[in-house]
Each structure stands twice: as C-alpha cells, then as structure tokens.
Amino acid sequence: MKNKTVFFCQNCGYESSKWMGQCPSCKEWNTMVEEVVKPQARNTRTGLGAATAPDKGRHTQIVPKSLKDIELTKEDRADTHIGELNRVLGGGLVKGSLTLVGGDPGIGKSTLLLQAARNMSEDGHSILYISGEESLQQIKIRANRVGEFTDDLKFLCETNLDIIEEVITRVNPEVVIIDSIQTMFSENVSAAPGSVSQVREATAILLRIAKSMNISTFIVGHVTKEGTVAGPRVLEHMVDTVLYFEGDRQASYRVLRAVKNRFGSTNEIGVFEMRESGLAEVKNPSEFMLDGRPEDASGSIVTCSVEGTRPILIEIQALVCRTNFGFPKRQANGTDYNRVNLLMAVLEKRVGLQMSDCDAYVNLAGGMKLQEPALDLGICLAIISSFRNRPISPDVIAFGEVGLSGEVRSVSMTQQRVMEAKKLGFKTIILPKAFESKLKDIEGLTIIGVKSVQDAMRIF
Ligand code: TYD
Ligand code: MG
C-alpha cells in the first residue's frame, strides 16, 4: 500500500485531503500542515453489513449490561497536598485518569507537576517522571529549588514511547508524568515528533497504558501560538481532564483552570504564585488581587466574579477621556472587548452619557482574565465614575448582569459573593433587586438592590 499524505490543522487537529488557508473547523488561518500517514489495514467488519461477516457468532460471550448490574466503586483519589490543584482536579487525583496540563512554555507546568509528584511520593505513592525536554541534571537543579525528595519518585529521560511502555510495565508506578507530549514519538508513525499524527498516536498509547494498568497519568502539552508543534487542543477529547495553566509572564501569579473534567466541575480555578522556591498556593485570591488599590480615585470599583465554586473579588478600572484623534479608541484588558463596547453603547443610549468623542480603557487590575456577565454592573459604574470624574467610596462592591435596555439582571451564587465581600471588609453591596430582600438582614452590610444602571447611579 502506498503512503498517503493528509493535511492536519495544528490548532484543532482537523483532517483534510487538500490544503486550505483557513481551517473550516476552528477558523484559524495558516494552521494546516502536510503529514505522511501510513495506511492501516482497514477493519471491514464495521458498518451495517458486519453481521454477515464470515466470523459471525464469534463474540457471543459479550453481553450488554443494564444499569443495575453495574457495580460502583468509590473513586480512589490521591492527595497531591496542593490544595489549589486538588480543587481543580475535583478533590484529588483519580486513579487511572489521564490529565492534560496545557499552557505556554515557561509558565510553570513542569514545576507544578514536580511539586505534586514530590508530595504524593511522600505519601508512599510510586511515581515515574518522564522528561523529553530536560536532562536528569537539569531536573535535579529544579528539584533542588523545590525541596527534599524521597526515593519513591523516579526520573527518566526518554522520548521513545516503545521504550517508555516497556519501562512503565517493568516499574509499574502508580503515577506517570509525561513532560511533554510534543517531544514523544512512536516508531509506528513516520511523522516528526510534535506533529498532529504523532501527538495523537502518543496520547493513544498513553491512554491505553493508563487504562489497562490503572496508572494516573499527567501529560504536559505546550500551547503554541504558531509554528510546527501541535497544540493540546488536538488531544483534549482523548483525555479525562484538561487543565490550563495561564498567566502573565510579567505577573508572578498563575491561574490553573479546568476546562474539562470527567471527575469534577469545570471552570474551577486554582491560583498560584511563582516564587524563588517553586509555586506557592494563593489561598485567598481576593486579598491578593485587591492589594495596592488606589484610594479615592475615580473610575475604580470592586466587583465579584465566581470562578467554578469560588467567588473572587477584583478591582475594575476605567479611564474615559476626550480623544485626540477623530476616531475614539477603546481598549479592554482582562475582559471581553466586545462586551465593553456593548456596555458603553447601553450607557450612551439608556443613561445618556455622551462618550462618542471619548477614548475608553477598561482594565481588570492584577492582570487576571475574567469573562463573567456579573462583571457588567461593575464595568458600567467604573466607566460612569471616570466619565463624571466622581470617585466611588472604596468600601462599595457591585455586581450584576446588564441587559441591552440597561436593566440589571440576577446572577448565580449571590450569597457567596456577598459573604466574600463581607469577609474582606466591604460595607455596601450593590446587587440585582431580586436579592435585596433575601440578604437585607446581614449584619454590618448595606445592601442596595437595583433594577437598572440608572438606579445604581444613586451611589454617586
Ligand atoms: P517551568 O515549570 O519550567 O515551565 P514549563 O514547564 O511550563 O515550561 O517554569 C519555568 C519558569 O519558572 C522559569 O522561567 C523559571 C521559573 N521558576 C521560578 O521562578 N522559581 C522556581 O522555583 C522554579 C523551579 C522555576
Ligand atoms: Mg517544562
């Protein structure tokens, strides 16, 4: 059989027989690359005619089960002793699960997994850390920064998956860490390491090992903006859990976010800070994010966003000033640009602010990226405060979704947001009207329920 070439999208793994400038699946440009695939002997027994195949009757011992015949065993979870990581995993590492940890190069994926491996090995779990990126000496240098290690944690530098499979079978560890999937290759695939077909094949092999030997496996995947390596999105559908590690290179803190989790809730986040001696947990992100707030400055207000199950307070800053050019400039950092534009349109039309000749900048202080609609009211008030040059009292927080008629709509988990604000010493809370009566009686808090943005402007 002849070797065949196909085109893969490096971003999402879409496969096509011809080259295209734009991937029809994820709509990214210039991501299609050519790869050679070896033809496989086709399994012809699938499809409607399968039952008439000559070996009919060979699988009579395979019987489908009804739900009551399926026994449930409690998931066995290992404690990583990193609270933020446990939370994102849904309460610890599930035995036999396959977890993808994606993120930009240099963000701290290897450091996080090394620390988790160290903690689990101290509990007596046997762990194999396989690196295709660093030499054993380099790993040791990193390990020295992070702390003491026990003998249950073993390291291996290898990229050939056939050898890796042999070693895993021989050593039989409880946890395997693969750093990174883009460096691994299988001899069955002719394409280069990091190509879509190689990354897929490698993951399929690791999946088979993880499930057949019941080994919890972490796979590191680099996110690449462009270039010749397939990104982690290509294998998201194959693994149980997908975590992304994100953050500004300049800022010291990092956010670990679950975008898919078969054993827990998604959108859960863990916050870390990169220190000299590895990653430290940030147990109270609100406090961390509000550190260094300006006092009595116009255009600043605190709002509350819920990430997963956790409320996080964050300062929204807006700067509205007369434009020096014919065309006003709008900019949003850390939140959705289009949402900010929409809210400004609502303020023009419903509140009557004339901002068509103004530049506007909206920023989530601290560099965190949040998108929740509950931020809307905070964004509106920050913009109004800057436009009118009237500061908002620093002990006020506001949250609620703003609709196109300027109405303030209710959001989920109001009580948790209010309690988080109280914990950090806020006194006045502006929230959707529907919740006012329910929360009115909390001691030490002034609750202001509002129906619309105009209504909320009472605080000025
Ligand atoms: P690393 O875990 O190697 O990133 P990744 O595996 O995602 O590519 O982290 C690399 C960065 O973290 C590097 O710039 C150095 C920094 N770092 C610290 O600041 N403190 C530390 O204790 C360690 C181990 C790394
Ligand atoms: Mg690394």
Side-chain angles (χ1 to χ4, degrees), residues 267-285:
N267 293 322
E268 201 67 79
I269 66 168
V271 186
F272 296 90
E273 191 186 0
M274 185 57 101
R275 299 231 182 107
E276 260 315 294
S277 56
L279 287 158
E281 297 176 60
V282 176
K283 292 254 167 59
N284 194 338

Side-chain angles (χ1 to χ4, degrees), residues 104-111 129 131 133-134 142 179-180 220 222:
D104 290 332
I107 204 77
K109 302 180 292 296
S110 307
T111 309
Y129 188 111
S131 178
E133 303 204 324
E134 292 161 306
R142 184 204 302 278
D179 190 2
S180 66
V220 172
H222 292 295

Side-chain angles (χ1 to χ4, degrees), residues 118-253:
R118 164 176 171 257
N119 295 348
M120 286 190 284
S121 69
E122 279 182 346
D123 277 353
H125 297 288
S126 58
I127 297 172
L128 181 58
Y129 188 111
I130 301 167
S131 178
E133 303 204 324
E134 292 161 306
S135 66
L136 291 172
Q137 286 75 17
Q138 284 172 318
I139 294 176
K140 182 150 187 172
I141 294 170
R142 184 204 302 278
N144 285 342
R145 296 175 73 166
V146 167
E148 302 279 307
F149 282 76
T150 69
D151 282 347
D152 288 320
L153 177 53
K154 297 273 193 277
F155 295 91
L156 176 72
C157 285
E158 187 52 68
T159 53
N160 185 335
L161 278 161
D162 302 306
I163 299 177
I164 289 176
E165 178 163 10
E166 214 184 291
V167 175
I168 294 178
T169 318
R170 181 155 39 84
V171 177
N172 194 16
E174 288 167 68
V175 181
V176 168
I177 294 165
I178 303 287
D179 190 2
S180 66
I181 193 70
Q182 279 103 351
T183 56
M184 300 294 152
F185 74 97
S186 157
E187 282 164 7
N188 296 332
V189 178
S190 50
S195 62
V196 173
S197 33
Q198 205 46 278
V199 162
R200 271 197 192 149
E201 173 72 10
T203 312
I205 294 174
L206 292 168
L207 179 69
R208 179 166 50 74
I209 300 174
K211 298 298 171 188
S212 64
M213 298 180 64
N214 207 15
I215 298 174
S216 318
T217 309
F218 280 108
I219 296 176
V220 172
H222 292 295
V223 174
T224 46
K225 295 285 176 314
E226 63 227 11
T228 51
V229 242
R233 278 193 57 194
V234 170
L235 40 115
E236 276 182 1
H237 64 281
M238 301 171 81
V239 300
D240 297 311
T241 304
V242 179
L243 312 181
Y244 276 99
F245 211 18
E246 52 190 39
D248 261 335
R249 288 268 184 102
Q250 290 82 5
S252 64
Y253 79 89

Side-chain angles (χ1 to χ4, degrees), residues 40-55:
Q40 287 176 347
R42 279 211 174 268
N43 184 352
T44 49
R45 290 194 308 105
T46 52
L48 288 176
T52 59
D55 54 356

Side-chain angles (χ1 to χ4, degrees), residues 255-272:
V255 175
L256 185 69
R257 198 182 285 274
V259 294
K260 165 180 173 181
N261 194 348
R262 287 191 181 140
F263 314 108
S265 75
T266 47
N267 293 322
E268 201 67 79
I269 66 168
V271 186
F272 296 90

